[in-house]
Amino acid sequence: MSLSTFRVSLHIFLLTFIVFTVSDGQNLTITPDTGTTVNIFSTQAKGCKVCRVRPSRRCFTFLPLKNTTVVEFECPKPHDVFKVEIVRNIECTIKSCSGHIIQADSASQPLLDFNRKFIWNLKASALKAFKIDFTKAGLRQINPSEICPERHTYTLQAAGNVAVGKYCRSGIIASVQILKSGSFSLDVPAGQKLQNGQFDVSVGEEIKSLAKITLTFPDGTSSTELLSPNYPSSFPDDDVMEWYFQVPEKHKMSVQFLNLTQPHCLKKETAVEYRSKGRAVSVLRLMDPQPDQNLGNVSMTLRNCEMDKRRSGSPGLSINLRVTASSASLPVSCKVDMSESEGLTLHIEKLRPVSECKMKINSVTTEKITVSSNSDLSFQDCSPEDVQVTALRVIACSQLKDCPKTSVPLLLPVLPSCLPAPLSIATWTLRPPQHGTVELASPTGPLRQSLPGQPCNDSINIKLREGNGTTIGDFCSQGSIEKVQIHTNMSVTLSSTEGKAVRISYKHVLNATFKGEISETYIFTVSLKKDNPVLLATPGWPTGMKGYSTVSWIVSVPPNMEAHLKFANLSQPKCSNHHTDISVQRVGRSTLDYSRREDDKADSELTVFDSFYLNMSNCKIERGHFSVISNITLQLPKNKTMLPIILSVVAALLVIFVIVVIVVCVVINRKKKEKLNHQTSIYNPNGINIQPGHSRFPKTRADNESHVYATIDETLIYTHLLKEGAEVSVYRESDSNSPATGHANSQKPLISKDACFNDMEVGVYQPFEAPPLPERPQSRPLVDNEIYQTAKKSEEELPLSLGPRLEPEGGN
């Protein structure tokens, strides 16, 4: 073979290789839907890349696409290396959401050979949840390791990447609500076509849990398994998850824990709460038996604690549970034992005679059941609306010495969950001795009387009645009444204002104590608080107090405060015997501050400056009734109200004055410094140091300032003169080593004690008046050049006589 033939063959081989390599790559045209992003990413750190062909060829391991794009893969089997995500965002306002979850495969059709994941990122408005409706298809939860038969696997995630669960189609999960934000995704394997469908997205409730899942059970018997979030890993720390079970009418529901791991808790405790319409909230520990005969719809809430994550081997919280619903047409047996509760009786009454509910006690059918000991009950087709359950306990003693020495807690009885309805009313009858008193106090804080303008927002109402049924008043928590004393037989009844169920949080209602006789029929102890007006009504309001009864409120007023008392809704009767009376008396005083009868004109307002008694008594009524609502408000005394304002104003003025004084002093001092920086020292032969400060000198020699110097070194120039002056008694002796008495500091000149310049004005020329000269011996005249000569001559060469002094040519 010739050389030219070899070269042609080589070119043909290379061209064939290049064509083969290029043809092995795949060109795909991808067109994402509006608002959708297609992410193509490699599962390997190195190797094959995906390239965007236009406008210029660039290759990546991760390529997001929002518009129509032609892509090419650099390897022959890209589906083994790359995965595809189709992402869409949905946002919800407080009223609506921007779209729904629509399963469509148009954008990913060219990518059918790849593993695809469809992701919908959802975001709700503040404090709201978004809701996804699965009613048409229904979902069922599976273990994370399982695969759905139809190879379409759904995943729910909450905020913080919490895996709520993994799901398949064809289940009883009807909807899910996730707080704030989360995502819903669908995994479809390579080669599997996407099943078209739609899940509606809407604005959810203001839930307090991580998520709320609603399950709708069909008629008959059915069951499903549920897993806690992040299963089999731990449920999030100190978080809440809720499931709501909807069952058909006359169906019961049961819960069973199949697999349970519990954490080591630092704060709070793990618990499960069960709520249903017309029933009390049931709070159970995870190890307690779970309900198995609940009728009607039930809400189940799982609460985690604050876990100790530092402890090694702590498993965290995870639960696998089974929920079963079945028909309730069969009788449900229920064993009730009241023998351990002294004086407690349980009453169960059928409310609707036409109802199919059948009740039995010890195999005997009845419409009213009274249980005071150990009894066997059964209920068939009984819903909470068909039955009312009440409890009554009697606490009595004939003599004070036989009464309990300590307070008796009024506790709600613990009833079995097999009863068809929860406890709706609980009553305690308290019977003190003939001359005894019942004292009531709340363990959770002071009470408040339910009145117009002061309603009870609580769901529980505490009604106090006398033994004959006369109402004393309705009360609730969070008030100012610390205790109530009643000098008669009475009862305490606890009921719900929202429905039939008494909340379990009121397990301990009041504390009752038997005490000795009191002088009034009723005594209320009230503790006032600032900015918290209190309304106090006479017992029996609005119908009025019973005849001859008396009531007293002991009102505690904090120090440095005063009580403003106003009588509202005052109704006075016509008395046939005695009189009604309203009086106010300060504690520790023997005199009354206020007293009015029914035939007096009562003052509507009154101010009391200390703790006081508010006393009222009724007469024998001929007609009408006696009732009063007293409005008490704490306030600061007027003089003490103005005192802080006055002190604040004075303090502010004082601060302003001090600032002004400081500014003035600083300005004056600065001006003085500026002037002193330009002053010069003047030698006065009369022996008086003169304060500098004048701006100019009168001159006798025209334009001659030879006698003025910027600085004078007094220790070098004047020493020999001072010594000579000392010998003729003109100058006093001074130590040459001591500091000069002249203006060593030009800014702080020293003034002779003999000089009187206190009234001299600065900056204004003053004629100089020298003091009288002392008598001294004649001395030779002192010439100018001798005064300012340098100290080159020795002291022996200096003359001893100074001669007569020369008057200065210019005074200052």
Side-chain angles (χ1 to χ4, degrees):
M1 182 182 294
S2 64
L3 182 59
S4 59
T5 304
F6 176 77
R7 288 177 178 176
V8 172
S9 301
L10 180 61
H11 288 166
I12 294 174
F13 172 77
L14 292 175
L15 181 61
T16 304
F17 176 78
I18 293 172
V19 171
F20 178 80
T21 304
V22 172
S23 62
D24 232 12
Q26 297 185 24
N27 290 333
L28 300 176
T29 301
I30 301 172
T31 305
D33 295 331
T34 303
T36 301
T37 301
V38 177
N39 298 323
I40 304 174
F41 60 96
S42 173
T43 58
Q44 300 177 1
K46 297 180 181 180
C48 185
K49 292 184 178 181
V50 58
C51 302
R52 184 169 52 209
V53 177
R54 300 184 185 92
S56 60
R57 181 182 176 86
R58 297 184 62 186
C59 300
F60 312 88
T61 56
F62 175 83
L63 179 61
L65 305 176
K66 294 185 177 181
N67 302 309
T68 301
T69 308
V70 178
V71 300
E72 182 181 16
F73 296 94
E74 290 185 328
C75 50
K77 295 182 179 181
H79 52 270
D80 293 337
V81 180
F82 287 89
K83 288 186 177 182
V84 177
E85 289 181 347
I86 299 92
V87 183
R88 184 179 178 87
N89 297 324
I90 300 175
E91 291 194 7
C92 299
T93 64
I94 58 174
K95 294 182 178 180
S96 61
C97 298
S98 60
H100 301 292
I101 296 174
I102 301 174
Q103 296 180 186
D105 210 7
S106 58
S108 65
Q109 191 66 36
L111 301 168
L112 184 63
D113 293 335
F114 293 82
N115 290 325
R116 290 157 294 156
K117 186 171 188 177
F118 297 84
I119 302 174
W120 292 268
N121 294 319
L122 299 107
K123 184 177 181 181
S125 60
L127 302 178
K128 286 277 190 176
F130 62 83
K131 179 180 179 181
I132 307 176
D133 189 0
F134 305 116
T135 305
K136 296 179 180 179
L139 298 182
R140 63 181 179 88
Q141 190 168 7
I142 62 173
N143 197 292
S145 60
E146 293 184 50
I147 299 175
C148 296
E150 66 276 12
R151 305 183 71 188
H152 277 53
T153 305
Y154 298 93
T155 303
L156 274 169
Q157 278 199 324
N161 293 325
V162 177
V164 178
K166 191 175 178 182
Y167 306 90
C168 301
R169 281 177 171 264
S170 303
I172 61 173
I173 296 178
S175 66
V176 63
Q177 298 184 66
I178 296 180
L179 188 64
K180 295 181 181 179
S181 63
S183 67
F184 180 70
S185 61
L186 169 61
D187 287 285
V188 181
Q192 180 77 26
K193 289 186 177 181
L194 179 67
Q195 297 177 4
N196 294 333
Q198 176 175 322
F199 301 122
D200 292 340
V201 179
S202 60
V203 179
E205 307 168 8
E206 291 187 7
I207 62 176
K208 305 297 183 183
S209 55
L210 175 76
K212 178 181 179 180
I213 298 178
T214 300
L215 297 89
T216 302
F217 289 85
D219 290 336
T221 301
S222 60
S223 65
T224 188
E225 290 191 17
L226 299 172
L227 304 171
S228 57
N230 284 341
Y231 189 90
S233 299
S234 176
F235 182 60
D237 191 59
D238 196 18
D239 215 331
V240 181
M241 178 67 189
E242 182 180 358
W243 292 271
Y244 184 61
F245 309 123
Q246 292 179 323
V247 298
E249 188 178 0
K250 297 181 181 180
H251 277 61
K252 59 185 179 181
M253 186 271 304
S254 63
V255 176
Q256 181 184 5
F257 290 167
L258 303 178
N259 187 17
L260 169 65
T261 60
Q262 294 198 70
H264 299 290
C265 296
L266 292 175
K267 294 181 181 179
K268 303 181 182 179
E269 292 183 0
T270 57
V272 183
E273 296 181 5
Y274 294 93
R275 299 172 183 265
S276 60
K277 184 179 179 181
R279 287 180 174 270
V281 178
S282 177
V283 182
L284 303 176
R285 296 179 301 174
L286 298 182
M287 299 304 296
D288 291 339
Q290 303 303 307
D292 59 353
Q293 299 290 340
N294 272 349
L295 289 174
N297 302 332
V298 178
S299 174
M300 172 184 165
T301 302
L302 174 64
R303 296 185 180 275
N304 197 5
C305 63
E306 183 177 329
M307 299 183 294
D308 185 2
K309 299 178 181 179
R310 299 168 299 179
R311 182 179 298 189
S312 60
S314 179
L317 173 62
S318 63
I319 296 179
N320 178 11
L321 57 101
R322 177 185 291 128
V323 183
T324 303
S326 59
S327 175
S329 59
L330 297 176
V332 176
S333 61
C334 188
K335 188 175 184 63
V336 181
D337 188 4
M338 296 283 105
S339 59
E340 296 183 0
S341 301
E342 183 181 357
L344 179 64
T345 304
L346 191 66
H347 299 275
I348 306 173
E349 182 179 0
K350 183 179 177 181
L351 297 177
R352 300 187 299 176
V354 296
S355 170
E356 296 181 3
C357 172
K358 294 181 181 180
M359 304 190 307
K360 292 182 180 181
I361 178 172
N362 300 325
S363 302
V364 178
T365 303
T366 180
E367 293 190 354
K368 290 184 180 180
I369 296 177
T370 300
V371 181
S372 57
S373 60
N374 192 357
S375 301
D376 292 324
L377 311 179
S378 68
F379 304 92
Q380 182 175 348
D381 296 335
C382 296
S383 66
E385 291 76 17
D386 296 331
V387 178
Q388 183 184 50
V389 180
T390 60
L392 173 65
R393 184 184 179 188
V394 178
I395 305 173
C397 54
S398 57
Q399 295 185 8
L400 190 60
K401 64 179 182 179
D402 299 328
C403 297
K405 304 303 179 184
T406 59
S407 61
V408 179
L410 306 184
L411 303 174
L412 286 177
V414 179
L415 302 180
S417 60
C418 56
L419 293 176
L423 181 67
S424 58
I425 298 174
T427 302
W428 295 265
T429 299
L430 304 170
R431 297 172 182 168
Q434 183 178 0
H435 300 290
T437 301
V438 176
E439 180 180 290
L440 300 174
S442 173
T444 58
L447 298 174
R448 174 174 54 174
Q449 194 167 0
S450 180
L451 296 169
Q454 184 181 268
C456 283
N457 297 324
D458 206 337
S459 60
I460 295 299
N461 178 58
I462 302 173
K463 183 181 289 292
L464 304 183
R465 289 189 178 95
E466 295 188 22
N468 59 5
T470 302
T471 298
I472 301 173
D474 292 345
F475 301 86
C476 57
S477 60
Q478 299 180 354
S480 300
I481 302 174
E482 294 186 342
K483 61 182 178 180
V484 181
Q485 293 173 283
I486 301 171
H487 187 206
T488 183
N489 293 340
M490 55 92 60
S491 65
V492 178
T493 300
L494 183 70
S495 60
S496 173
T497 60
E498 295 180 345
K500 296 177 60 180
V502 177
R503 291 194 312 178
I504 195 66
S505 57
Y506 275 84
K507 183 177 181 181
H508 191 175
V509 183
L510 294 173
N511 289 323
T513 308
F514 293 101
K515 292 192 173 183
E517 187 175 12
I518 57 176
S519 58
E520 314 290 342
T521 310
Y522 319 96
I523 296 179
F524 297 84
T525 302
V526 182
S527 179
L528 300 181
K529 297 178 182 179
K530 187 179 178 182
D531 302 326
N532 186 21
V534 176
L535 296 181
L536 303 174
T538 50
W541 192 93
T543 57
M545 293 175 60
K546 66 181 183 180
Y548 296 123
S549 63
T550 62
V551 60
S552 179
W553 291 272
I554 305 174
V555 183
S556 176
V557 179
N560 302 321
M561 300 289 288
E562 64 183 22
H564 185 72
L565 180 60
K566 183 178 180 180
F567 299 112
N569 301 87
L570 174 59
S571 177
Q572 292 279 16
K574 181 179 179 181
C575 296
S576 62
N577 192 11
H578 292 288
H579 297 278
T580 65
D581 179 68
I582 302 175
S583 64
V584 175
Q585 180 181 358
R586 280 178 286 176
V587 175
R589 302 291 183 93
S590 58
T591 58
L592 296 176
D593 295 283
Y594 176 89
S595 180
R596 295 292 185 274
R597 305 191 319 186
E598 84 280 357
D599 51 1
D600 295 333
K601 183 179 180 180
D603 297 333
S604 60
E605 297 185 14
L606 179 67
T607 300
V608 187
F609 301 96
D610 205 346
S611 298
F612 62 94
Y613 302 104
L614 174 59
N615 303 316
M616 297 186 188
S617 59
N618 199 5
C619 63
K620 183 178 180 181
I621 298 175
E622 181 177 332
R623 66 174 180 268
H625 65 273
F626 178 50
S627 63
V628 187
I629 292 182
S630 304
N631 189 333
I632 307 178
T633 306
L634 273 182
Q635 58 187 16
L636 288 170
K638 293 182 179 180
N639 57 342
K640 293 187 178 181
T641 304
M642 293 300 296
L643 183 60
I645 300 176
I646 296 173
L647 292 178
S648 300
V649 173
V650 172
L653 293 176
L654 183 60
V655 170
I656 293 173
F657 175 75
V658 171
I659 293 174
V660 171
V661 170
I662 293 173
V663 171
V664 171
C665 292
V666 169
V667 172
I668 293 174
N669 189 36
R670 187 173 296 171
K671 288 183 177 179
K672 286 183 178 181
K673 287 183 178 181
E674 291 176 356
K675 290 182 178 181
L676 291 174
N677 286 337
H678 297 86
Q679 293 174 350
T680 58
S681 297
I682 305 172
Y683 172 70
N684 186 1
N686 289 327
I688 299 175
N689 294 327
I690 300 173
Q691 181 182 15
H694 298 288
S695 60
R696 63 177 63 184
F697 301 95
K699 302 174 183 178
T700 57
R701 303 178 213 167
D703 300 327
N704 183 6
E705 295 183 350
S706 60
H707 61 291
V708 180
Y709 293 86
T711 58
I712 299 176
D713 191 344
E714 296 176 346
T715 59
L716 297 177
I717 304 302
Y718 295 160
T719 303
H720 64 287
L721 297 178
L722 294 174
K723 288 185 178 181
E724 291 180 4
E727 295 177 2
V728 294
S729 300
V730 176
Y731 305 101
R732 57 190 173 95
E733 290 188 17
S734 62
D735 186 0
S736 61
N737 294 325
S738 65
T741 58
H743 52 67
N745 185 347
S746 63
Q747 296 182 0
K748 296 182 180 180
L750 298 177
I751 303 176
S752 172
K753 293 181 181 180
D754 298 329
C756 299
F757 296 94
N758 294 333
D759 298 330
M760 181 177 291
E761 296 182 36
V762 178
V764 181
Y765 172 73
Q766 302 286 344
F768 175 76
E769 295 182 4
L773 297 175
E775 294 183 1
R776 53 181 67 85
Q778 295 292 328
S779 59
R780 66 183 178 86
L782 181 65
V783 294
D784 292 343
N785 60 355
E786 278 189 56
I787 297 175
Y788 304 110
Q789 65 184 344
T790 57
K792 292 181 180 180
K793 297 182 180 181
S794 63
E795 293 184 0
E796 290 79 4
E797 295 175 350
L798 294 175
L800 298 175
S801 177
L802 296 176
R805 292 183 181 275
L806 296 179
E807 294 297 329
E809 295 179 355
N812 188 20

